[in-house]
């Protein structure tokens, strides 16, 4: 016999959402976010960044070229494989990406510069030309140097060709002498008093 008074599970309950209540909460949250955004902007003074300026140092890309390095997982960033940027505290894996990084917006911002270039005056341009002229060493490369190098290379090439030709002539002469020696009958050579055609020099 079945028991009619057994306690069952009431699964007819459905959660009902009040649409208006949630819309109100969303409006309040948006209002708080916009207020906090305006407050943070008004509190902080506007950042005035310096314009871009050219590097006054050489970028070292070749000092670690061809060297091997053992890297452990617990090694600090500066000792890991790749190029370490101390300004941004990051490691870049190759030289092309490292150059992109140090010329990029993130790195320049960390240095306190915007990506805008300052307009140069006539005097600044003239000064820059003067410094570049002074930097150019007197023993710099000229067209005359290029002509001399080309002439020297041509002379060396001609000398190498001449030596090759001489070596070929020597080989041919040696081969011809060996063939003649092979053609002579040893009995005839013995009768004539020749022991052979080999040279006595050793």
């Amino acid at each position: 016999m079945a028991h009619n008074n057994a306690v069952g599970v009431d699964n007819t309950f459905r959660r009902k959402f009040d649409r208006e209540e949630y819309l109100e909460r969303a409006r309040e949250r948006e209002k708080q976010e916009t207020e906090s955004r305006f407050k943070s902007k008004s509190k902080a003074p506007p950042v005035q960044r310096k314009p871009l300026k050219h590097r006054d140092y050489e970028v070292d890309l070749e000092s670690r070229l061809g060297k091997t390095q053992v890297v452990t997982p617990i090694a600090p960033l500066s000792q890991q494989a790749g190029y370490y940027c101390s300004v941004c505290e990051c490691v870049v894996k190759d030289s092309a990406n490292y150059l992109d990084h140090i010329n990029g917006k993130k790195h320049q911002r960390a240095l306190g510069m915007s990506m805008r270039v300052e307009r140069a005056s006539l005097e600044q341009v003239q000064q820059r030309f003067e410094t570049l002229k002074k930097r150019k060493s007197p023993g710099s490369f000229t067209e005359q140097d290029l002509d001399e190098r080309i002439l020297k290379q041509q002379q060396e090439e001609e000398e190498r060709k001449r030596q090759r030709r001489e070596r070929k002539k020597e080989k041919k002469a040696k081969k011809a002498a060996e063939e003649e020696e092979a053609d002579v009958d040893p009995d005839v050579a013995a009768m004539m008093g020749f022991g052979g055609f080999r040279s006595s020099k050793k």
Side-chain angles (χ1 to χ4, degrees):
M1 273 180 81
H3 295 284
N4 290 333
N5 58 357
V7 178
V9 179
D10 183 15
N11 60 0
T12 59
F13 173 75
R14 292 277 189 271
R15 203 168 192 188
K16 293 178 177 63
F17 293 102
D18 188 358
R19 191 177 174 80
E20 286 300 319
E21 181 187 343
Y22 283 102
L23 280 171
E24 190 61 38
R25 282 190 199 174
R27 285 191 200 105
E28 283 176 22
R29 193 168 51 247
E30 280 177 12
K31 191 195 280 185
Q32 286 172 357
E33 284 174 4
T34 51
E35 282 174 7
S36 65
R37 226 180 284 148
F38 283 125
K39 280 178 188 174
S40 63
K41 281 185 181 176
S42 61
K43 280 180 187 174
V47 178
Q48 186 65 40
R49 296 183 190 281
K50 291 177 279 184
L52 273 177
K53 61 177 183 178
H54 67 276
R55 272 193 293 273
D56 52 357
Y57 61 90
E58 289 271 334
V59 180
D60 178 28
L61 298 174
E62 297 171 1
S63 65
R64 292 162 68 184
L65 197 67
K67 293 184 181 176
T68 54
Q69 181 182 358
V70 178
V71 181
T72 59
I74 56 167
L77 274 176
S78 58
Q79 291 174 8
Q80 285 187 6
Y83 294 88
Y84 176 67
C85 176
S86 56
V87 178
C88 305
E89 294 180 352
C90 65
V91 176
V92 186
K93 294 298 175 191
D94 57 36
S95 59
N97 286 331
Y98 180 65
L99 279 174
D100 286 344
H101 169 74
I102 61 176
N103 291 332
K105 191 186 283 186
K106 181 184 172 190
H107 185 80
Q108 298 300 334
R109 274 195 178 159
L111 290 173
M113 285 188 277
S114 68
M115 293 303 282
R116 293 203 175 112
V117 182
E118 188 179 32
R119 190 170 175 81
S121 65
L122 177 64
E123 290 81 20
Q124 286 175 319
V125 174
Q126 288 170 340
Q127 283 175 358
R128 184 74 180 146
F129 277 133
E130 287 301 317
T131 54
L132 290 172
K133 279 180 192 173
K134 286 174 189 171
R135 194 187 296 174
K136 197 175 182 182
S137 61
S140 61
F141 195 73
T142 60
E143 283 185 30
Q144 189 177 355
D145 293 339
L146 183 64
D147 293 338
E148 285 174 10
R149 279 170 98 179
I150 290 170
L151 191 65
K152 192 177 178 184
Q153 280 181 342
Q154 285 174 347
Q155 287 171 351
E156 286 173 0
E157 187 64 33
E158 284 172 12
E159 181 65 25
R160 280 197 292 269
K161 283 179 182 176
R162 189 183 60 76
Q163 286 175 357
R164 265 191 238 125
R165 281 195 298 266
E166 284 178 8
R167 270 189 246 121
K168 279 184 182 178
K169 280 181 186 176
E170 285 174 10
K171 279 182 182 178
K172 278 184 182 177
K174 192 176 178 184
K175 198 173 182 182
E178 285 174 0
E179 284 175 1
E180 280 179 24
E181 190 179 319
D183 288 345
V184 175
D185 191 9
D187 295 333
V188 175
M191 261 182 6
M192 292 175 73
F194 298 122
F197 291 104
R198 290 188 190 87
S199 63
S200 59
K201 291 179 185 175
K202 288 190 177 180

